[in-house]
Amino acid sequence: MSLMQLDRRNFLKSVAMATATAAAHETFAATTNDVSLPQLDPKVTDPPAIDGVVWDKAPCRFCGTGCHVMVGVKNNRVVAVTGDRHAAVNKGLLCVKGYHVGSILYGQGRLTQPLLKTDTGYKAISWEEAIKVIAKRIIKRPKTFAIYGSGQWTIPEGYACQKFIKGGLANNHIDPNARLCMASAVTGFIGTYGVDEPAGCYDDLDAANVIITWGNNPAEMHPVLFSRFIDRRSRGEKVTLIDIGTRRTRTTEQADHYLCFNPHSDLAIANGIMQQLIENDTFDKKFVEQHCNFRYQVDPKKPGLKGAPSTFEAFKKAVAEYTPERVEEISGVPADKIRMLGKLFGRRDIRITSLWCMGMNQHSAGTMINNLVHSVHLLSGHFGRPGDAPTSLTGQPSACGTAREVGTLAHALPGGRLVKLKAHRQHCEDIWNLPRGRMNPKPGYHTVKMWEAFCTPTDQPGGDIDTIWVQVTNPGQTLPNLHKLFDPKANLKDKFLIVSDVYPTATTQLADLILPAALWVEKNGMFGNSERRTQQWFRQVTPPGQARDDCWQVIAVARAMFDMGHEGMRDKDGKFIFETKDDQGSEVPIWEWENYYGKVNVDEALFEEYRKFTRLKHKDLAPYSEYVKAHGLRWPVVQQPDGSWRETGFRFSGFDDPYVGKDASGKPKEFDFYHSTTKDGRAQIWHYPYLDPPEMPDATYPFWLCTGRVLEHWHSGTMTRRVPQLARAVPRAYVEINPDDAKAAGIAQGSPVKIESRRGSIVLPARINGRGQPPRGSIFVPFFDETKLINNVTLDVTCPISKEPDYKKCAVSIMPVSTSKG
Amino acid sequence: MPISGLILTLSSNSEAAQTALDKCHADPQVQVGEFVGPRRCPITLDTNNPEEDKVSWQRLQDDPGIDFVDVVCVYFDEDEKAEDSTVQVPASHSGTMALAD
Ligand code: SF4
């Protein structure tokens, strides 16, 4: 190493130390109001001045926590990433995935050219050709075309897809991967409050006395949120962590109580807490009387989103059977622990925050368990004050912003509207300047149905999707029961799969047309994180080769269809549905790539149009320019008399939410559920019984299988497996087995194990006493590894309301695989 | 290779915390900063290659005396070329896809 290099490294090290010290002070001071902290080195600027490096903000590309980073760019390449100290979400901190977020752009094998499948392999084609191929195919059969995306779409990307398919093609076959991860949270919120998304925010984690994780592992999945809790404890604050889970994880290591439950029996635990609140007469009578109604499912085997009205007496009777002893019998959680939970929720002097993510959502009774956990908080009055919150987290960076708010779901329209409601369709037609009556009232196919239709021969009943365009996701790895929902595509010659992605994936393996996409700071973007925070960033480097924005791809196809005479791509005045004008009022041909980052900011134009949709459900968004200035803003963002824009931390709470109604004296009410399904300002407390899950271990398949994620990899690993440090840390999938089960089956550490279900099998190396530790009778497999597809084994049963599959439990057998050749 | 600024939250078990800290002091790749509060300690990590980076990370993550590792910043070497990763390009695509330079 030369002297100059050494100097540079020493300089970077001193900058790194100063930045880390500053961030440690920042988080410490933010929560202690300690003003006597040592002075920071004034030479360290924020972000640090490093020769030739230009800094700009962006949200992290990975999970729904939505940490803010400062991205350092030199010579059109990302060379540095620091946590953004001014961002309330992460106060300058990142996790190991954020550490490597800059490297995801530079992994081996970026796709850089459109590729068309031919009889002899893939042929590189021009963008013009690729766009024409897609446009012609859609024009021929617009009703059998579908789009499949995810919460990795930016808000403008998802919005453009919505407008293209629902407004342009009058076809509602669009669904996101979010269907597989948070659809049950959506239906849980709607069934309880009449409107989607959490009432609370991350500030709850700074105020709660008790944090309960329900089948959730934030230490690995949302590490920066977990770090808030760790930070409070490190300063000597007493915060109790209760981990209710089906296996021990890194979260468990920090927990005061670990309640290990039998898969699916969280339903019984929630009922048990409510039974205790009533038996001990410690439920919050005032809160319940003033702000709640009761509901139930007439036929629990055929549940509906809204259920039927009930009474307190009927509710009391229904939960009475869930005594601590009965709950212990169902769940395996000791009765004393259920009593402990009942007592905690019965206390008025503490604040309780519940967190959950996939554990409660990927559940064959996903909507119902979501409803029940909200109900526990409502019945106990642990709601709506800082620290008292039932809060679902999301796995994808814009699952909330794009999938839920833009509504890229088969039944939804932007801003919480529904395709089945005429008035909602008319709002869209008016904002999009479409002829009244163009939009289709029939919801499209949800994820599982969409892929089932695609993988069924066109001439057979139920085979009525023949073209799918996949953007920003990897269904060839993440769909459940892949043998049924993805693999048959290989032999169906008239089906056409278009995949826009940044790297080759399990999905591109079966693609007929592959489109190279721009990634993260290679394009402008906006995300919406788990706490209703909308974030914006600008393009900072150019994408490699011919990779281009997903949003541009859609607009270019729309324009090609317009030029070919497709009526749907015209508004009622005959103009292009994505017409965009510059400041002088002249149309800019944004469908030509050279103009996409030219005179107009396409993201801004699309966002300003989308923003008009957001008032109906009081999810108001500010103008684009406000997000350029801010570190994200939590909706509703409402303009103040002085012209400034104010975000909202706590929805439905009179002290913070401007939409809460006023009482007789003209003051804001304490709480107001102003989108109540019962139209009386009340939330719904649900009863739903514990019923056995659709598949349980038996003599042939005696183990529970649970699937999930690991700290180092995000989602299907497409990006993180290209980061050498992350790939080397956890290179391949494995199966976690309890040591006693391993011993009984003759399975040694690292030896191959065959896991078999009714649907398929897989061989993985055993991991015993590793990071995650399942109890006896359960195994766990992470799903990030595209070379080991655990979803060939999982079950495709969905929650009957949310249609979200249950990846968390099915029955399997395990057996050692002999490695000897003889 | 990256140089990073991290914050370690040491365990409330003071013996385990001290052992973890001693290991950090003894590691030439780690520079230990001044404590902020009783358990939060900024450090820098400077490694020579991805393998060392992985080993150091893993050691910090798995150390029983360290409750949590927060990342604050990471600086890559701007001359660094895209590295080989362990990811296999799906076989059916090999040789036919246009890859980045
Ligand atoms: S917690 Fe999530 S958003 Fe934050 S740095 Fe880690 S992966 Fe990125």
Side-chain angles (χ1 to χ4, degrees):
Chain A
M1 201 179 278
S2 73
L3 214 58
M4 224 164 92
Q5 277 173 315
L6 202 66
D7 273 356
R8 189 175 163 279
R9 288 193 84 74
N10 284 336
F11 169 68
L12 288 179
K13 247 178 9 188
S14 70
V15 168
M17 180 60 86
T19 315
T21 308
H25 280 301
E26 196 93 18
T27 45
F28 193 78
T31 39
T32 58
N33 296 323
D34 184 342
V35 288
S36 63
L37 294 167
Q39 286 293 304
L40 301 180
D41 182 350
K43 291 195 292 296
V44 178
T45 56
D46 178 26
I50 303 173
D51 222 13
V53 175
V54 176
W55 297 89
D56 203 355
K57 63 164 185 164
C60 170
R61 176 61 180 75
F62 296 121
C63 83
T65 302
C67 295
H68 293 246
V69 299
M70 292 300 293
V71 183
V73 171
K74 190 174 176 182
N75 301 331
N76 195 32
R77 188 179 169 94
V78 173
V79 294
V81 165
T82 80
D84 190 335
R85 276 166 50 203
H86 303 293
V89 170
N90 53 313
K91 298 173 183 145
L93 307 180
L94 301 171
C95 77
V96 65
K97 286 186 286 283
Y99 179 106
H100 292 295
V101 67
S103 309
I104 58 171
L105 305 176
Y106 307 115
Q108 192 193 34
R110 277 294 297 265
L111 295 165
T112 57
Q113 190 154 12
L115 298 166
L116 184 68
K117 195 182 210 168
T118 66
D119 292 342
T120 53
Y122 284 95
K123 177 179 94 168
I125 59 169
S126 67
W127 268 111
E128 291 65 34
E129 225 179 313
I131 297 296
K132 232 182 255 166
V133 166
I134 303 172
K136 277 189 186 159
R137 181 131 188 135
I138 302 174
I139 284 186
K140 212 164 143 201
R141 303 187 67 182
K143 300 294 175 214
T144 54
F145 168 73
I147 296 181
Y148 188 65
S150 80
Q152 298 174 68
W153 262 328
T154 67
I155 291 169
E157 284 168 353
Y159 178 72
C161 285
Q162 274 278 63
K163 188 174 181 181
F164 171 68
I165 196 162
K166 288 180 181 155
L169 298 180
N171 158 356
N172 296 322
H173 296 315
I174 177 171
D175 222 37
N177 170 277
R179 174 78 70 185
L180 309 179
C181 67
M182 38 97 293
S184 302
V186 175
T187 45
F189 280 113
I190 292 175
T192 306
Y193 310 104
V195 64
D196 184 25
E197 296 197 44
C201 60
Y202 298 162
D203 302 13
D204 288 308
L205 297 171
D206 298 333
N209 306 96
V210 178
I211 296 172
I212 304 180
T213 52
W214 294 78
N216 184 214
N217 178 14
E220 294 191 74
M221 304 315 147
H222 298 89
V224 169
L225 291 185
F226 196 69
S227 167
R228 284 184 176 219
F229 153 79
I230 291 283
D231 180 42
R232 287 180 65 197
R233 268 203 178 161
S234 79
R235 283 180 282 105
E237 276 191 56
K238 168 121 183 70
V239 194
T240 302
L241 177 65
I242 302 173
D243 181 24
I244 306 179
T246 56
R247 83 191 227 279
R248 296 185 81 90
T249 65
R250 286 204 164 164
T251 301
T252 320
E253 284 169 23
Q254 301 297 330
D256 300 272
H257 303 276
Y258 172 53
L259 280 54
C260 183
F261 69 95
N262 298 327
H264 204 71
S265 67
D266 41 4
L267 293 160
I269 296 171
N271 276 313
I273 298 170
M274 295 197 279
Q275 185 273 350
Q276 284 288 287
L277 287 166
I278 288 175
E279 184 173 285
N280 301 339
D281 202 25
T282 50
F283 67 98
D284 190 333
K285 293 179 198 67
K286 187 171 156 229
F287 187 90
V288 171
E289 269 168 33
Q290 292 184 354
H291 305 297
C292 303
N293 292 318
F294 290 89
R295 290 197 95 70
Y296 80 119
Q297 297 289 356
V298 180
D299 179 356
K301 289 190 177 144
K302 289 188 193 148
L305 182 63
K306 292 195 177 157
S310 181
T311 62
F312 174 69
E313 285 312 317
F315 175 82
K316 184 176 168 182
K317 205 168 148 202
V319 295
E321 67 171 287
Y322 294 94
T323 61
E325 284 68 28
R326 170 88 180 109
V327 175
E328 176 173 346
E329 220 172 90
I330 300 169
S331 69
V333 174
D336 281 354
K337 297 281 187 190
I338 303 298
R339 288 199 178 86
M340 180 264 300
L341 287 173
K343 278 205 185 97
L344 280 175
F345 273 101
R347 283 175 61 179
R348 298 280 90 77
D349 61 329
I350 55 170
R351 304 274 168 105
I352 305 177
T353 292
S354 286
L355 294 177
W356 69 93
C357 196
M358 302 309 149
M360 267 173 47
N361 296 342
Q362 293 174 341
H363 195 303
S364 55
T367 306
M368 288 66 101
I369 182 61
N370 271 266
N371 284 336
L372 290 186
V373 172
H374 289 298
S375 299
V376 167
H377 278 264
L378 293 170
L379 187 68
S380 63
H382 282 286
F383 182 91
R385 301 170 194 95
D388 271 335
T391 294
S392 75
L393 302 172
T394 54
Q396 303 217 333
S398 198
C400 286
T402 307
R404 291 158 84 159
E405 292 156 30
V406 174
T408 55
L409 293 139
H411 65 282
L413 293 170
R417 289 167 181 79
L418 299 171
V419 294
K420 69 176 184 195
L421 297 182
K422 191 173 179 192
H424 287 184
R425 292 195 306 278
Q426 287 183 347
H427 288 161
C428 294
E429 287 160 351
D430 291 350
I431 292 175
W432 289 339
N433 195 36
L434 303 177
R436 279 278 175 96
R438 177 190 282 179
M439 293 178 66
N440 188 338
K442 198 172 160 214
Y445 288 161
H446 63 77
T447 296
V448 170
K449 196 138 184 247
M450 180 192 286
W451 287 96
E452 219 167 50
F454 186 64
C455 286
T456 301
T458 309
D459 56 4
Q460 278 181 26
D464 56 348
I465 295 289
D466 60 19
T467 303
I468 296 186
W469 187 353
V470 175
Q471 291 196 327
V472 291
T473 194
N474 186 8
Q477 186 168 343
T478 55
L479 288 168
N481 198 358
L482 286 164
H483 286 324
K484 179 178 154 197
L485 295 179
F486 192 74
D487 299 352
K489 188 313 178 175
N491 301 316
L492 298 171
K493 297 298 168 212
D494 62 334
K495 305 275 179 169
F496 196 78
L497 182 62
I498 306 158
V499 182
S500 303
D501 213 324
V502 294
Y503 289 109
T505 65
T507 309
T508 58
Q509 289 201 43
L510 287 192
D512 298 283
L513 179 60
I514 299 170
L515 304 174
L519 174 62
W520 192 42
V521 294
E522 292 167 353
K523 59 186 179 184
N524 286 346
M526 301 186 83
F527 280 161
N529 80 350
S530 293
E531 59 162 355
R532 297 177 277 106
R533 186 181 292 274
T534 311
Q535 305 150 305
Q536 176 277 346
W537 76 94
F538 287 122
R539 176 161 85 149
Q540 295 167 40
V541 293
T542 50
Q546 294 190 43
R548 294 181 185 177
D549 299 33
D550 295 273
C551 194
W552 173 82
Q553 297 175 22
V554 171
I555 291 170
V557 168
R559 182 64 193 200
M561 291 173 67
F562 175 93
D563 292 341
M564 289 173 191
H566 189 276
E567 267 313 298
M569 296 304 133
R570 289 167 207 280
D571 68 11
K572 67 181 180 197
D573 300 323
K575 292 187 181 138
F576 180 39
I577 58 170
F578 290 108
E579 184 187 64
T580 307
K581 292 184 173 165
D582 65 16
D583 292 344
Q584 280 73 49
S586 312
E587 184 172 12
V588 179
I590 57 169
W591 54 90
E592 292 166 359
W593 176 242
E594 49 281 16
N595 293 312
Y596 194 71
Y597 283 96
K599 282 191 195 162
V600 288
N601 177 341
V602 178
D603 263 30
E604 179 169 10
L606 290 168
F607 183 77
E608 287 300 333
E609 183 181 287
Y610 160 58
R611 193 161 91 74
K612 296 180 191 154
F613 285 95
T614 59
R615 294 270 170 87
L616 179 77
K617 296 284 179 177
H618 300 97
K619 299 183 176 185
D620 313 25
L621 298 174
Y624 183 86
S625 54
E626 293 301 311
Y627 298 96
V628 173
K629 292 184 273 183
H631 289 88
L633 294 168
R634 291 169 292 192
W635 55 259
V637 190
V638 176
Q639 193 162 29
Q640 303 301 293
D642 66 359
S644 63
W645 293 83
R646 181 187 180 277
E647 64 170 352
T648 304
F650 300 88
R651 260 166 115 205
F652 312 130
S653 297
F655 77 90
D656 196 35
D657 184 342
Y659 287 118
V660 164
K662 308 249 187 313
D663 63 17
S665 70
K667 286 194 197 129
K669 293 178 192 163
E670 191 179 5
F671 299 104
D672 180 8
F673 298 100
Y674 46 79
H675 282 292
S676 167
T677 49
T678 39
K679 306 205 182 315
D680 54 3
R682 289 165 179 266
Q684 316 301 321
I685 294 177
W686 283 85
H687 172 255
Y688 184 81
Y690 166 82
L691 300 175
D692 282 342
E695 186 174 271
M696 293 176 83
D698 56 19
T700 319
Y701 300 103
F703 284 83
W704 287 109
L705 164 69
C706 177
T707 69
R709 298 171 282 170
V710 295
L711 172 66
E712 288 79 359
H713 291 290
W714 188 76
H715 202 239
S716 62
T718 308
M719 293 178 285
T720 47
R721 289 187 69 239
R722 262 103 187 164
V723 177
Q725 290 88 335
L726 296 175
R728 287 186 179 106
V730 185
R732 289 275 175 267
Y734 50 83
V735 51
E736 290 175 359
I737 306 178
N738 182 281
D740 294 334
D741 286 331
K743 198 170 163 201
I747 293 167
Q749 181 79 278
S751 67
V753 181
K754 183 175 182 190
I755 303 160
E756 188 168 314
S757 74
R758 289 179 177 85
R759 295 154 293 280
S761 66
I762 187 173
V763 175
L764 293 169
R767 187 171 285 193
I768 302 162
N769 281 331
R771 203 183 273 176
Q773 295 173 19
R776 281 212 77 168
S778 278
I779 61 169
F780 173 86
V781 175
F783 77 91
F784 71 86
D785 186 349
E786 68 195 350
T787 66
K788 298 281 178 191
L789 297 176
I790 187 60
N791 282 325
N792 285 326
V793 178
T794 52
L795 189 63
D796 56 349
V797 168
T798 64
C799 163
I801 300 174
S802 70
K803 310 297 180 202
E804 179 166 349
D806 191 332
Y807 293 94
K808 297 295 179 189
K809 52 188 176 290
C810 69
V812 295
S813 63
I814 59 170
M815 69 191 83
V817 176
S818 164
T819 47
S820 68
K821 301 239 164 79
Chain B
M1 286 320 303
I3 293 170
S4 52
L6 314 174
I7 302 174
L8 306 181
T9 303
L10 296 174
S11 165
S12 54
N13 174 337
S14 48
E15 211 172 298
Q18 190 54 52
T19 310
L21 199 59
D22 291 345
K23 275 191 246 165
C24 286
H25 277 296
D27 185 342
Q29 293 171 337
V30 174
Q31 195 182 330
V32 181
E34 274 180 44
F35 268 71
V36 177
R39 287 165 53 198
R40 304 266 278 183
C41 178
I43 66 162
T44 61
L45 183 62
D46 178 1
T47 51
N48 293 314
N49 55 53
E51 196 49 40
E52 279 184 21
D53 197 54
K54 176 208 148 185
V55 171
S56 299
W57 255 103
Q58 211 62 45
R59 187 180 67 66
L60 294 170
Q61 296 261 357
D62 295 342
D63 195 312
I66 297 172
D67 274 358
F68 213 76
V69 184
D70 283 302
V71 181
V72 177
C73 55
V74 53
Y75 304 111
F76 311 94
D77 187 341
E78 64 258 41
D79 299 320
E80 191 183 328
K81 288 273 171 270
E83 296 172 58
D84 283 354
S85 80
T86 51
V87 173
Q88 296 154 352
V89 176
S92 57
H93 296 166
S94 300
T96 59
M97 284 198 167
L99 304 179
D101 295 336

